[in-house]
Amino acid sequence: MKIALDAMGGDFAPQAAVDGAVLAAKALAGKAQIVLIGQEDAVQPLLAQHGAAAADLQFVSASQIIEMGEHPAKAYQQKQDSSIAVGYRMLHAGEVEAFCSAGNTGAMLVGAMFSVKAVPGVLRPAIANFVPKLHGSFGIMLDVGANAECKPEMLEQFGELGSLYAQYVLGIEQPKVGLMNLGEEEGKGTTLLQAAHNLLKVNPHIHFIGNIEGRDLFNDRADVIVCDGYTGNVLLKMAESIYDIMAEKKLHDPFFDKFNYEAVGGSPILGINDNAIIGHGVSTPAAICNMLMQGYQMAHSGISDQIKSTFKS
Amino acid sequence: MKIALDAMGGDFAPQAAVDGAVLAAKALAGKAQIVLIGQEDAVQPLLAQHGAAAADLQFVSASQIIEMGEHPAKAYQQKQDSSIAVGYRMLHAGEVEAFCSAGNTGAMLVGAMFSVKAVPGVLRPAIANFVPKLHGSFGIMLDVGANAECKPEMLEQFGELGSLYAQYVLGIEQPKVGLMNLGEEEGKGTTLLQAAHNLLKVNPHIHFIGNIEGRDLFNDRADVIVCDGYTGNVLLKMAESIYDIMAEKKLHDPFFDKFNYEAVGGSPILGINDNAIIGHGVSTPAAICNMLMQGYQMAHSGISDQIKSTFKS
C-alpha cells in the first residue's frame, strides 16, 4: 500500500513534511510505503540528510507549488504540475491509496472535487475533525468548513458519513449521532436544524440520539457530531485556541492535550471516491506523521468503499 | 435606585436568591436597594435568618412561580402573579430600575417582549453574554440564544447593541466589533454572514473590524462579537463545559476561572426599553449577587436610554 504526501504543503514545508514522512515510513514499515511529491531540488537534499532512514521513501517530482494565499480553484487549474494536482492524479489513477497535504485547504477540496470526485449520491463532501472525549479517545465532528451553507439533506448525509468513519476507522460499534443544536428538545433551533432533525431521526443507516448542545461536545452523548461547516469551523478553531492558551500557560492535562491538532494530524474529506486528508497549516513533523498514519488507517479500513456502497442504494 | 430580583428563580431558589440578595444589598449599600419578589412564606423565613443584614431589603409578594420546564409564553400569560410577571410589571411601572431572574429563560424573554417591550427600531432584542479576554476583563458576545434564526439586519443591530453596552457599561472606548465567521477575508461565510458584513461595514455607529474566527474569541481582536443565537449559544455552552472540566480536574488559572458564569452572574437582554438580566439556572449566591451588581451597573450607566436614542434616529 502507498500513502502519498504533499512535500511542499504547510508553513514549515518541505522540512517538516520530509521529517514527518521519515517518521511515518518507520512506523508503517512493512505495511505501507510513503510517496513524497514535490520539487526535486528542495526535497532530495532533505531526504539525503536522513540517509538510510529515507531509503524506503519514494519520491515523485512536481515542479509547481500552490501557495497558501492563492485562489484555490484558479491555482489548481493553472498549476497542473503542482504537488497537490500530481497527488490527486496519482490517487485517482490508483497509484496511491491515500493523499495527504498540509497545504492550501481550498485547493485540496477543489482537487478532490475535480479529480477523484464526490461519491455518487453524496450531495456535498464534508471535512471532518476529531473531538477529544473525556472518557475515551475521539469523536468526530462534521462539517468543519467545506460547506458554510447547508441544506437539511446535507446535514443528514454528514451524519451518515461520520457514522461510517466512526465505525470503520475509529472502531466504534453503533456510533451515536447527535445534531448540534441550542437545546435538547425536539423542535429546537432554526428551520434547517428542525428539518435535519426530522431526516436524521428516520434514517435507517444511523443511530441518531437527537439534539446535543455545546456542552456535550466532549462528553459521551454523541460519537458523531453533525453541524454546518460554519458552526463546526468556529467550534474547532475555538477549541484549538484553548489548547494554545493552555500550552502558553503551561497547563497540561492528558484530556486537554488531545486538543492539540498534532495528536490526530489531519482532517479527512469524507464523501469522495478516495482517501484524502487535509493537515493543519502549521503542521510539525509529528503532525505530518500522524496524518500519514491516519491515511493508512483510512485506506486499510476500506472506508471509501463503505461510503460508496452505502450511498449507492 | 431599586434593583429587583426574582426570589423564586433558579435551581437553588429561594435559598440562593435570598443569600445572594443579602450579599448584593451589602455591596450596594447607599447606592441601591434590592427588591425581592416571591412567595411570602418561602422568602420571609429565609430573610429572617439573615437578621439585621436583611433589614435593607424590600419584599414584594408574588403568589405564583413559573417553573423551569413550563412553556414560556403560556406560563407567563397564565401566571400573572408569578414572580417574573410581577417583576416585569414593577420594571415597566418604573418602580425598579432593573429586574434580574435566574428562572425560566424563555419566560424572561417573553416577559420582556410583552411588558417593557422592544425599543422602537430594534428588530429583535438579543441575549448577550460575556467573553473572558486574555489581556483585559471581558468582551461581549451576542446573540447567545434569543434568536436562532437571524436576518442580516438583526446581526447588524446586535453589533450596535453590543457596542453600546461595551461602551456604556463595560467602559470600553470605541469598542471593536467583529463578525464571527469561518475566515477573516471579506466574502467568507454564508449569504447571511456576507450580507451582515456589508451592513456592519458601513454602519456609522460602530467600529467594525471585519470578520473574526473561533480562535479570536479570547484575544484582543474584537470587544463585541456578533453572531446568530444558535452559534452564540453553542459557543457559550462549550466554553462553560470547558470551565466545568477544568474545575473537575482541579486545573485553575485566573483566565480560565473567568469562564465561570458566577464571575458575571447573568446575561442582559439588550434592545428592550428597560434593564433585564437572565441568570444561569444553577446560580449560586455569588452568581446572584454579581447579577444584581450588573443590574445596578446597567441602570447606573443609562444604557437603555442610550439604546433608545440610538435607534430613534
Side-chain angles (χ1 to χ4, degrees):
Chain A
M1 181 184 297
K2 290 184 179 182
I3 312 295
L5 175 70
D6 170 10
M8 315 312 286
D11 297 347
F12 308 124
Q15 182 80 57
V18 171
D19 294 351
V22 170
L23 287 173
K26 198 176 162 190
L28 293 172
K31 294 186 202 161
Q33 192 185 21
I34 307 298
V35 179
L36 269 170
I37 304 167
Q39 291 178 327
E40 186 143 14
D41 53 354
V43 175
Q44 290 289 19
L46 296 173
L47 276 174
Q49 284 172 13
H50 283 284
D56 286 343
L57 279 85
Q58 188 187 332
F59 175 75
V60 170
S61 174
S63 65
Q64 295 171 302
I65 302 174
I66 297 178
E67 305 288 351
M68 289 307 224
E70 284 192 86
H71 186 280
K74 218 178 282 179
Y76 187 83
Q77 288 179 296
Q78 286 170 354
K79 295 184 170 177
Q80 277 300 303
D81 200 39
S82 64
S83 46
I84 289 180
V86 170
Y88 271 120
R89 270 207 300 280
M90 292 183 74
L91 187 65
H92 187 46
E95 296 164 27
V96 295
E97 273 68 47
F99 176 48
C100 305
S101 172
N104 187 311
T105 299
M108 278 297 285
L109 269 176
V110 167
M113 300 306 285
F114 279 17
S115 66
V116 299
K117 295 193 173 68
V119 166
V122 170
L123 297 166
R124 294 286 295 269
I127 303 177
N129 212 279
F130 302 96
V131 177
K133 289 291 185 181
L134 272 165
H135 309 110
S137 54
F138 286 94
I140 183 169
M141 174 165 76
L142 69 172
D143 178 30
V144 298
N147 313 283
E149 202 109 47
C150 288
K151 290 190 167 67
E153 294 77 12
M154 289 165 63
L155 293 182
E156 180 192 14
Q157 292 194 342
F158 297 168
E160 292 188 80
L161 292 168
S163 186
L164 289 167
Y165 191 98
Q167 206 176 332
Y168 290 97
V169 187
L170 302 180
I172 300 170
E173 257 183 82
Q174 212 191 25
K176 292 171 283 185
V177 178
L179 178 65
M180 185 55 76
N181 209 325
L182 81 175
E184 288 179 16
E185 307 85 349
E186 219 178 309
K188 280 273 178 181
T190 58
T191 49
L192 166 68
L193 290 163
Q194 290 172 27
H197 185 110
N198 291 338
L199 293 172
L200 287 160
K201 203 171 58 172
V202 296
N203 187 305
H205 300 294
I206 58 166
H207 176 43
F208 183 57
I209 55 107
N211 294 329
I212 59 168
E213 300 184 69
R215 69 167 68 94
D216 298 315
L217 209 58
F218 310 117
N219 66 24
D220 291 339
R221 289 205 56 215
D223 304 300
V224 179
I225 293 159
V226 174
C227 57
D228 63 83
Y230 163 64
T231 306
N233 187 275
V234 168
L235 281 172
L236 169 66
K237 285 180 181 158
M238 177 189 164
E240 284 181 355
S241 79
I242 289 194
Y243 173 79
D244 289 343
I245 293 167
M246 290 187 73
E248 202 171 303
K249 289 175 171 291
K250 302 200 194 317
L251 289 167
H252 282 290
D253 173 87
F255 168 70
F256 285 106
D257 286 349
K258 291 197 291 182
F259 280 54
N260 186 353
Y261 74 93
E262 276 192 356
V264 289
S267 302
I269 306 174
L270 297 185
I272 55 173
N273 284 304
D274 264 297
N275 304 307
I277 303 179
I278 305 171
H280 204 297
V282 296
S283 283
T284 58
I288 296 283
C289 173
N290 282 330
M291 174 161 62
L292 289 165
M293 303 289 286
Q294 191 192 324
Y296 167 75
Q297 283 156 11
M298 281 183 77
H300 183 72
S301 72
I303 175 71
S304 65
D305 284 336
Q306 291 294 344
I307 290 174
K308 274 177 252 182
S309 70
T310 300
F311 280 89
K312 207 195 299 185
S313 51
Chain B
M1 182 184 296
K2 290 184 179 182
I3 312 294
L5 175 70
D6 169 10
M8 314 312 286
D11 297 347
F12 308 125
Q15 182 79 57
V18 171
D19 293 351
V22 171
L23 286 174
K26 198 176 161 189
L28 293 171
K31 294 186 201 160
Q33 191 185 22
I34 307 297
V35 179
L36 269 169
I37 304 167
Q39 290 178 329
E40 186 145 14
D41 52 355
V43 175
Q44 291 288 18
L46 296 173
L47 276 174
Q49 285 172 12
H50 284 283
D56 287 343
L57 280 84
Q58 188 187 331
F59 175 76
V60 170
S61 174
S63 64
Q64 295 172 303
I65 301 174
I66 298 178
E67 304 289 349
M68 288 309 222
E70 285 192 84
H71 186 279
K74 219 178 282 179
Y76 187 83
Q77 289 179 296
Q78 286 170 354
K79 295 184 169 176
Q80 278 299 303
D81 199 40
S82 63
S83 46
I84 289 181
V86 171
Y88 272 120
R89 270 208 301 279
M90 292 183 74
L91 186 64
H92 187 46
E95 295 164 25
V96 295
E97 272 68 46
F99 176 49
C100 304
S101 172
N104 187 310
T105 299
M108 278 297 285
L109 269 177
V110 167
M113 301 305 284
F114 279 18
S115 66
V116 300
K117 296 193 172 68
V119 166
V122 170
L123 296 165
R124 294 287 295 269
I127 302 177
N129 212 280
F130 302 96
V131 177
K133 289 291 184 179
L134 271 166
H135 310 109
S137 55
F138 287 95
I140 184 169
M141 174 165 75
L142 69 171
D143 177 31
V144 299
N147 312 282
E149 203 109 46
C150 288
K151 291 191 166 67
E153 294 77 12
M154 289 164 63
L155 293 183
E156 180 192 14
Q157 291 194 343
F158 296 168
E160 292 187 81
L161 292 169
S163 186
L164 288 167
Y165 191 98
Q167 205 177 330
Y168 290 97
V169 188
L170 302 181
I172 300 171
E173 257 182 83
Q174 212 191 25
K176 292 171 283 184
V177 178
L179 178 65
M180 185 54 77
N181 208 326
L182 82 175
E184 288 179 15
E185 306 85 349
E186 219 178 308
K188 281 273 179 182
T190 58
T191 48
L192 166 69
L193 290 164
Q194 289 171 27
H197 185 111
N198 290 338
L199 293 172
L200 286 160
K201 203 171 58 172
V202 296
N203 186 305
H205 299 293
I206 57 166
H207 176 44
F208 183 56
I209 56 107
N211 294 329
I212 60 169
E213 300 183 68
R215 69 168 67 94
D216 299 315
L217 209 57
F218 310 117
N219 66 24
D220 291 339
R221 288 205 57 216
D223 305 300
V224 179
I225 293 158
V226 174
C227 56
D228 63 83
Y230 163 63
T231 306
N233 188 276
V234 168
L235 281 172
L236 169 66
K237 285 180 181 158
M238 176 191 166
E240 283 181 355
S241 79
I242 290 199
Y243 174 78
D244 290 343
I245 293 168
M246 290 188 73
E248 202 171 303
K249 288 176 173 290
K250 302 202 194 316
L251 289 167
H252 282 290
D253 172 88
F255 168 69
F256 284 106
D257 285 349
K258 290 197 290 182
F259 280 54
N260 186 353
Y261 74 94
E262 275 192 356
V264 289
S267 302
I269 307 175
L270 297 185
I272 55 173
N273 284 305
D274 264 297
N275 304 308
I277 303 180
I278 305 172
H280 205 296
V282 296
S283 284
T284 57
I288 296 282
C289 173
N290 283 330
M291 174 161 64
L292 290 166
M293 302 288 286
Q294 190 193 324
Y296 167 74
Q297 282 156 12
M298 280 183 78
H300 182 72
S301 71
I303 175 72
S304 66
D305 285 336
Q306 291 294 344
I307 291 174
K308 275 177 251 181
S309 69
T310 300
F311 282 88
K312 206 195 300 185
S313 51

